[in-house]
Structures are given as C-alpha cells and as structure tokens.
Amino acid sequence: MKTATLNNGITMPMLGFGVYQIAPEQTEAAVIGALQNGYRLIDTAAAYMNEEAVGRAIKQSSVPRDEIFITTKLWVQDAGEAAAAQAIDTSLQKRVNGHLGW
C-alpha cells in the first residue's frame, strides 16, 4: 500500500476506508472488516453520525491503535478557530465514548 511520510516522520497510508452513508448500526461491522482486510486509515465525519461506531470497531479490533489513522471532517457551521476547536473536542469525545481509548 502506498504511504506518505508526514512532517513529523510518521508514515500514513494513502488509501483509506470511508464510512460515508454507512448506517451507524452497520458501521462497526464495516470498519472491523476493513481493518481485518488491511485498511489502516478510516475516514469519517461528524455529519455521518457514526463516529461512535468507528470508535467501538477500533476498540474491538486486534490492530494496535498506533497503526490506525482516523480522519474526520467538521460541520460547515463549525468554521472558525473557537467553533472548530469545540467541534474537534466533541468528535474526539464521541470516539472515546465509542471506546476508542485515546
């Protein structure tokens, strides 16, 4: 799989598994399957309403957390420094509550 080396020296996969339009009740199984099949980048967004299921799937996975990248996107109304910071905290908390365990 192609990777990119970030400025901090960490290698990140260039191909990821997106959970757009996957119902929250199906997201957990889909992400577990993606991780079992070699994906190490999971792409989600607040608007998808399935961030908690992503967190639960990663917790259940046997893949070490430090091998998994998670990208997310914020709602358009979260533009601006203060709103974005709050939205990021909310997104992280959803995944922690989903048992991601950061």
Side-chain angles (χ1 to χ4, degrees):
M1 179 177 292
K2 286 189 172 188
T3 61
T5 301
L6 305 177
N7 289 338
N8 61 3
I10 294 175
T11 303
M12 181 176 132
M14 296 297 293
L15 178 66
F17 181 76
V19 297
Y20 177 58
Q21 293 189 332
I22 300 178
E25 62 274 7
Q26 297 171 340
T27 301
E28 197 170 325
V31 171
I32 289 170
L35 291 169
Q36 288 172 340
N37 284 289
Y39 283 93
R40 294 298 181 264
L41 171 65
I42 307 298
D43 178 68
T44 187
Y48 303 171
M49 308 299 253
N50 56 15
E51 290 177 307
E52 290 169 316
V54 169
R56 286 191 302 274
I58 291 170
K59 172 67 174 173
Q60 289 181 44
S61 166
S62 61
V63 178
R65 173 60 189 95
D66 63 354
E67 292 182 16
I68 302 171
F69 286 81
I70 303 168
T71 59
T72 194
K73 292 158 293 295
L74 305 177
W75 292 92
V76 68
Q77 64 263 28
D78 293 325
E81 188 174 344
Q86 178 59 48
I88 290 166
D89 287 342
T90 299
S91 178
L92 289 171
Q93 190 59 44
K94 284 180 185 176
R95 286 181 265 152
V96 168
N97 288 341
H99 306 293
L100 188 55
W102 285 344

